[in-house]
Amino acid sequence: MPSPTQKFSMFRTAARYLTEPHPFARNPTSVRPHAVDYSMYPKRIARTGTFVMPAALFILGWPVAAEVYGRGVGM
């Protein structure tokens, strides 16, 4: 069997460096999962919504506002 070309050998070496040597997200059985703080989610949604909703109204509503303005000035 012929030896691999230099380019193929380089790609194989790079692929080996990018793979993990161990299974991904394997937790030991002796560690208990952490408790989830569900009270944080409504606060986070409210804080995000105070920015996202006005931004969405501005981004998606400017064509309607331009049409209303255009009809008002007779365009």
Side-chain angles (χ1 to χ4, degrees), residues 3-69:
S3 63
T5 62
Q6 185 177 4
K7 186 164 81 170
F8 184 74
S9 178
M10 180 188 69
F11 285 135
R12 184 172 44 186
T13 303
R16 287 183 181 160
Y17 278 119
L18 294 174
T19 58
E20 291 190 29
H22 54 80
F24 180 71
R26 184 174 181 190
N27 296 323
T29 58
S30 62
V31 177
R32 296 184 48 97
H34 69 281
V36 179
D37 182 19
Y38 290 109
S39 66
M40 143 185 99
Y41 291 111
K43 295 175 192 173
R44 182 177 289 179
I45 290 171
R47 188 175 62 227
T48 304
T50 58
F51 172 76
V52 170
M53 293 309 290
L57 283 173
F58 178 75
I59 291 169
L60 299 175
W62 74 264
V64 176
E67 181 183 1
V68 170
Y69 175 76

